Amino acid sequence: VEEDYIQDNFNLTGLSSLVPYYEYALDMVLDVEMPMEDSLTEEQQEIVESAAEMLYGLIHARYILTNRGMHAMYEKYRTASFGRCPSVFCQGQPVLPVGLSDLPRNYTVNVYCPRCRSIFFPKSTRQANIDGAYFGTTFPHLYLMTHPDMVPLPPVQAYVPRVYGFKIHETSAFYRNPREGLPSLKDGDKNSRQKRKGKHRQTSKK
């Protein structure tokens, strides 16, 4: 994130309510000497460092939505710095980072594939530990809307489950919603007993 972007208070609107020790955290992000730093306890110093990390991450989520930010992310996307889609039919499509929440400390970052339009856990363990709010829920979609030439064609194939080479019929229990459930053994026994009773009555009448 460019320093002049951070120094513009308009770009930081609303962040003071999300980040503890906001002023200290901002000074730390900007590498400004804090006059009261010596008066902080060791525990408070750790909180400020954690807050500075959070603040920088939330600023980053806003910065990448700007033209300059998107240009910087373009290079990373082009070189597949965020990884590639694990789906076989996406043929190594580069992915973009996305968060499941814009509020910090809810979810770690995921990656979005613009070809199959699904999200996945990143392969990189370093990326997997980053807070998803530091990229936000908007970035990949706004990026592709801004750069429609970067939107890939959808996969030309889809996986079809087969058993002994035959497609599984859509009415099979394989596709049934597990919550719908299958007939239980008790139900089966009950139906069998009812059928036997019905046959017994018919024979008695004869």
Side-chain angles (χ1 to χ4, degrees), residues 57-58 60-62 64-65 96-103 109-110 131-141:
L58 294 175
H60 177 268
R62 295 183 176 190
I64 59 177
L65 300 181
L96 291 164
V98 65
L100 294 180
S101 172
D102 291 314
L103 296 176
V109 71
N110 294 107
D131 196 309
Y134 298 169
F135 291 93
T137 58
T138 300
F139 168 69
H141 319 301

Side-chain angles (χ1 to χ4, degrees), residues 88-122:
V88 173
F89 298 122
C90 286
Q91 301 177 327
Q93 168 67 40
V95 292
L96 291 164
V98 65
L100 294 180
S101 172
D102 291 314
L103 296 176
R105 297 177 179 172
N106 282 317
Y107 304 96
T108 53
V109 71
N110 294 107
V111 290
Y112 171 79
C113 173
R115 188 180 290 272
C116 65
R117 299 183 180 180
S118 295
I119 62 170
F120 305 91
F121 291 114

Side-chain angles (χ1 to χ4, degrees), residues 103-173:
L103 296 176
R105 297 177 179 172
N106 282 317
Y107 304 96
T108 53
V109 71
N110 294 107
V111 290
Y112 171 79
C113 173
R115 188 180 290 272
C116 65
R117 299 183 180 180
S118 295
I119 62 170
F120 305 91
F121 291 114
K123 284 187 177 180
S124 164
T125 51
R126 183 182 64 82
Q127 291 177 356
N129 291 322
I130 299 174
D131 196 309
Y134 298 169
F135 291 93
T137 58
T138 300
F139 168 69
H141 319 301
L142 183 61
Y143 177 84
L144 295 170
M145 288 170 67
T146 309
H147 301 89
D149 55 306
M150 302 293 291
V151 179
L153 294 172
V156 293
Q157 289 176 280
Y159 178 69
V160 179
R162 296 175 183 271
V163 174
Y164 297 120
F166 296 98
K167 293 180 183 179
I168 301 174
H169 197 270
E170 59 184 13
T171 58
S172 165

Side-chain angles (χ1 to χ4, degrees), residues 25-36:
L26 182 58
D27 286 345
M28 185 171 285
V29 168
L30 292 171
D31 199 21
V32 175
E33 189 175 340
M34 295 180 284
M36 296 181 63

